[in-house]
Amino acid sequence: MALTLRLWRSLPLGRSAARALRLPTGAAGSRGQCVPWPLRGSEVMGNTGAFKRSLLISALSYLGFETYQVLFQSSVVHATAKVTRVEEILEQADYLYESGETEKLYQLLTQYKESEDAELLWRLARASRDIAQLSGTSEEEKKLLVYEALEYAKRALEKNESSFAAHKWYAICISDVGDYEGIKAKIANAYIIKEHFEKAIELNPKDATSIHLMGIWCYTFAEMPWYQRRIAKMLFAAPPSSTYEEALGYFHRAEQVDPNFYSKNLLLLGKTYLKLHNKKLAAFWLTKAKDYPAHTEEDKQMPYIEHRRIILTYKSAECLNTIIITII
């Protein structure tokens, strides 16, 4: 703006200031031929008002363009720095997750709970749920964390509906909340859970965990107790249902995508074959589950306890039937 003022003050005000700037005589010949424009000082300065306005507009345009460039470059730098920062946080979060540092991971991500980034939010949902699963977490804290995880997962999905992980963790968190809301809510939520697991698989067919969780959904409704089936029929015209064969298909598909990725997938393959009365394949998968090293807190809890039961039975078993009777 200072440059504009200097330009404005340097322009002399002559008697012809009100006249419009005109082209010199002969600017265009009768035959349409162009000739040079010998602009003399008196002709330019004789049209001071128009010339002054022209220079002012030019100066403002230049300054506006310069300002735009500065602001644009600044915003690009800021956006790039922001993206880089998020990438660094995600990298650190994934390292802590792979290292089994559940509490440190939760502490890191809760600093960014107001984030608008879906990748951060679904990881925070997962971390909240993992803290809830720790043996040292009280029942009251667990409930709070479960609902907290659902809120983060919901926000992640709102921010990016194309994120398979957001769909997966939203479904997981809805399932967890169902434990506190009764059988009616749990059955009603089953449809939503299935829909989001299927969407997660559609978005990423190579994610073994989503496929495994769809298998659990099928297994759960295949073994639903008779009284729950009766309640479901009373509450819903078409209650959710599935078969052990469907569950088995998903567990095998998960194993094909990522062999030995999860102890519970091996365990459920064995248990599903037990349900289908295939003793030979049940023993094969249960033995693989028994030998699987415990990496996560979940490995150390229910699946691993069942592994140890299998170990004790397997060592003392004289035949395969002993294992099957004990597991059932």
Side-chain angles (χ1 to χ4, degrees):
M1 197 63 184
L3 173 61
T4 307
L5 290 172
R6 285 197 297 273
L7 286 168
W8 180 273
R9 289 167 182 166
S10 66
L11 296 173
L13 296 176
R15 293 181 180 178
S16 305
R19 291 186 300 174
L21 181 65
R22 55 185 174 82
L23 293 175
T25 304
S30 58
R31 296 182 180 178
Q33 295 176 345
C34 295
V35 296
W37 293 3
L39 291 178
R40 295 185 296 275
S42 60
E43 290 176 325
V44 174
M45 293 307 178
N47 297 276
T48 309
F51 182 63
K52 180 167 58 178
R53 286 195 297 274
S54 178
L55 279 179
L56 177 61
I57 291 168
S58 298
L60 287 173
S61 298
Y62 175 76
L63 287 173
F65 178 70
E66 287 293 308
T67 304
Y68 167 76
Q69 280 192 313
V70 171
L71 291 175
F72 178 74
Q73 290 171 359
S74 176
S75 64
V76 168
V77 170
H78 179 71
T80 303
K82 187 176 180 181
V83 169
T84 303
R85 176 63 176 155
V86 170
E87 288 176 348
E88 288 174 356
I89 296 165
L90 294 179
E91 186 177 344
Q92 188 177 357
D94 290 342
Y95 173 78
L96 290 172
Y97 181 75
E98 293 298 329
S99 303
E101 297 285 357
T102 306
E103 293 176 337
K104 288 182 181 178
L105 174 60
Y106 180 73
Q107 290 168 6
L108 169 68
L109 292 177
T110 48
Q111 298 176 64
Y112 309 98
K113 61 184 178 181
E114 302 303 326
S115 172
E116 299 294 311
D117 190 280
E119 293 297 305
L120 273 171
L121 289 169
W122 74 252
R123 283 172 171 83
L124 183 51
R126 180 181 65 183
S128 300
R129 183 181 184 273
D130 286 348
I131 288 287
Q133 299 294 322
L134 293 177
S135 55
T137 304
S138 69
E139 284 302 316
E140 184 179 352
E141 290 175 320
K142 181 177 180 179
K143 184 176 180 180
L144 290 173
L145 285 163
V146 162
Y147 278 94
E148 182 183 306
L150 177 60
E151 183 59 30
Y152 294 137
K154 182 180 178 181
R155 283 174 52 202
L157 196 56
E158 288 171 352
K159 298 302 176 186
N160 186 4
E161 290 188 353
S162 298
S163 168
F164 83 93
H167 283 279
K168 175 171 70 177
W169 285 100
Y170 182 63
I172 292 169
C173 292
I174 289 178
S175 179
D176 289 344
V177 166
D179 293 337
Y180 298 98
E181 299 190 346
I183 185 66
K184 182 177 179 179
K186 197 161 190 174
I187 293 172
N189 287 340
Y191 297 98
I192 301 170
I193 292 166
K194 183 181 182 182
E195 176 187 340
H196 286 283
F197 281 149
E198 287 176 338
K199 187 63 178 178
I201 294 169
E202 178 188 330
L203 290 168
N204 185 2
K206 296 299 183 182
D207 181 50
T209 307
S210 297
I211 301 168
H212 163 79
L213 292 169
M214 193 63 237
I216 290 182
W217 189 96
C218 295
Y219 186 94
T220 300
F221 285 99
E223 71 165 1
M224 180 185 283
W226 65 269
Y227 65 89
Q228 289 187 0
R229 290 183 189 277
R230 180 172 293 183
I231 294 171
K233 287 180 180 179
M234 290 171 61
L235 296 173
F236 304 96
S241 62
S242 189
T243 64
Y244 291 118
E245 286 80 4
E246 279 186 284
L248 190 66
Y250 281 110
F251 294 142
H252 271 299
R253 182 177 167 186
E255 204 62 29
Q256 289 168 359
V257 168
D258 192 0
N260 296 317
F261 75 102
Y262 186 28
S263 60
K264 197 169 183 179
N265 198 64
L266 303 173
L267 182 68
L268 284 169
L269 274 164
K271 292 178 75 171
T272 307
Y273 273 117
L274 284 175
K275 296 291 186 181
L276 294 171
H277 309 291
N278 189 326
K279 299 175 182 180
K280 184 176 180 180
L281 286 175
F284 172 79
W285 289 107
L286 290 174
T287 302
K288 289 194 73 170
K290 163 181 77 71
D291 295 334
Y292 193 93
H295 295 297
T296 67
E297 186 69 19
E298 193 174 5
D299 288 336
K300 296 172 186 176
Q301 292 179 5
M302 185 193 70
Y304 192 64
I305 290 170
E306 292 195 52
H307 297 174
R308 287 191 288 181
R309 284 172 52 199
I310 295 166
I311 291 171
L312 294 173
T313 307
Y314 191 75
K315 285 184 177 178
S316 61
E318 295 179 0
C319 63
L320 184 60
N321 287 333
T322 307
I323 298 174
I324 295 171
I325 292 168
T326 304
I327 296 301
I328 289 174

